[in-house]
Amino acid sequence: MKVKIKKSMQRAGTSAVLLIALSGIFSYSCKKLTLNDALPVVAVKSVSVISADSAAVTGTIINPGADVIEYEGLCYSSDPMPQMLDNQYFVGNSSTNFTIHVPFKQDSTYYVRVYATNSYGYGISSPYKFTVAHAKPALAPCPLSNMKLVDQGNPYPIDFVYSGTGYASYGVWGLEVDYNSGNNALRMDFNKVPTNGAYVVQGDAGQFSSDNNPKEVYAELDVFNTYNMQSGDSVYVSENADKSISFSFCHLHYIVGSASISMAGQFTAK
Amino acid sequence: MKKIYLILVLLSFFAGMGRSSAQIGVDISYIGPVGPPAYYLKPTVGIEARVLSGNEDSKFRACISVGYYGFKPTQDTFPTVTVESGGANALLPGHEVIKSYSVVPIGFGAEYRPFKSRLSPVIGLEGYFYLIDFAYHNDVQTLINEENESTEWEVAIMPKLGLSYKVSDKLLLSARLGYSIGLTGTVDTQTYWKTSVGFIYIPE
């Protein structure tokens, strides 16, 4: 009788343990997921302006989701909710923090979102708003007098400055500076109306046109012949309150024969 | 799909009924997807008809079953991304909508009851052939916008563990927990937890 009761208790005990185990596993199997649990979670960590026409956007992977990250990228636009295909930039999985350089325009507000993909899909961040301020005025780092040019060491007062889209030979906006009683003319071409900042001389007119770089300038000197200014020198631009634009430069080089001749000057275009 | 299902149900039942000592039962199961499918498919309730061979007193019994599970998606839409590696080299966002996802499980296996008492643990092993039918809408921006429907299959193995309780000479109740492990098929292997309660009718 005792043996029978003991066996019966053993069976009941085994069954109870099983029941508890089954309940535990059942509870685990009831765990509800959605695909969002498998997708990466990302955020914009920072946006910093790194030059007159570019910014560095850093995104961070907060959670890679249920699989490894395949791509990291960003999209931006002036719309408060940019979509993935708006100005899209992406790279292969680099690291938890990824930085991508993007072009921008001054005086503009952008909204940027970063995203990351894994085998389940993609996660995209909330928009991050950043404004690109107007660049500061730039002045040539040398002593100059306004409305004067120094050519081959000789100072010349400037007679006239003409400017506007009609004076552009290669870009979209140009100017002509007449000096030496109208016998000499310095011409400059820009790919857009110049704004505050430093512009770099591109000495090859064809290259200047194909670059279409908003921070390049093409310059040439018209005496009896035409001499183009050599690449690499800088022209500094400063916007004035009365909407006029001041230009200054310490060195613009042109070649006559085997001699390299330097020009300096400062003038204002209305 | 429904025709296949009906034919299989009938065949299974006739096969089982043909044996004088066979018992017939019905299981209601709670099926919880595991792994990647868990992100797409909500747990669901399924039903299965079962036929057990052999005398109800025997420790080993073979069983066959046919059932139906209909899964619902965990989200209305699932974001997707496609790499366009042509000239554009872009990441194209998109989404999928699961319209329907149903499974017809056909099982063959064996059970072992160590005790002949009213209440006894049960362990078993089943092989499953899953017929999986699903329909979805696929949208990839600038590239694809289409409806798809597909029927796939998978072979799986499911160890199970549970309890059975003989209520009367004609009725046996059971509760089991199984873990179905996908082995091969035309879809990515799928794994389920399957918790079942059911009854077995014991004929004269």
Side-chain angles (χ1 to χ4, degrees), chain A residues 116-269:
Chain A
T117 74
N118 64 15
S119 62
Y120 288 93
Y122 70 95
I124 189 164
S125 73
S126 303
Y128 183 101
K129 180 182 176 182
F130 74 101
T131 299
V132 182
H134 201 78
K136 291 178 181 174
L139 291 170
C142 56
L144 297 166
S145 299
N146 197 26
M147 299 305 284
K148 280 189 179 166
L149 286 179
V150 179
D151 185 9
Q152 299 188 58
N154 301 315
Y156 293 96
I158 291 171
D159 303 322
F160 298 101
V161 177
Y162 306 98
S163 63
T165 53
Y167 289 89
S169 301
Y170 298 102
V172 299
W173 192 93
L175 57 82
E176 179 181 317
V177 181
D178 290 347
Y179 64 99
N180 193 17
S181 304
N183 291 317
N184 297 4
L186 172 67
R187 296 194 185 89
M188 292 185 181
D189 293 301
F190 297 84
N191 279 314
K192 64 170 194 173
V193 178
T195 55
N196 289 341
Y199 288 71
V200 177
V201 175
Q202 168 54 261
D204 183 328
Q207 190 63 46
F208 169 77
S209 299
S210 65
D211 285 351
N212 197 27
N213 185 333
K215 287 296 179 184
E216 278 185 356
V217 57
Y218 174 77
E220 62 184 21
L221 180 62
D222 190 359
V223 190
F224 294 109
N225 296 311
T226 300
Y227 305 96
N228 64 314
M229 298 298 174
Q230 302 297 291
S231 297
D233 290 326
S234 295
V235 174
Y236 298 86
V237 175
S238 175
E239 296 171 71
N240 303 314
D242 63 356
K243 305 290 183 189
S244 63
I245 307 171
S246 294
F247 298 82
S248 57
F249 46 92
C250 298
H251 309 283
L252 289 183
H253 291 90
Y254 61 98
I255 308 292
V256 180
S258 58
S260 176
I261 299 168
S262 176
M263 281 186 80
Q266 183 176 340
F267 54 87
T268 299

Side-chain angles (χ1 to χ4, degrees), chain B residues 165-192:
Chain B
Y165 182 72
K166 192 172 178 182
V167 179
S168 69
D169 289 343
K170 289 187 177 297
L171 191 63
L172 188 78
L173 295 181
S174 65
R176 295 181 307 282
L177 182 76
Y179 191 67
S180 171
I181 305 159
L183 299 176
T184 185
T186 56
V187 289
D188 291 341
T189 52
Q190 302 191 5
T191 304
Y192 305 112

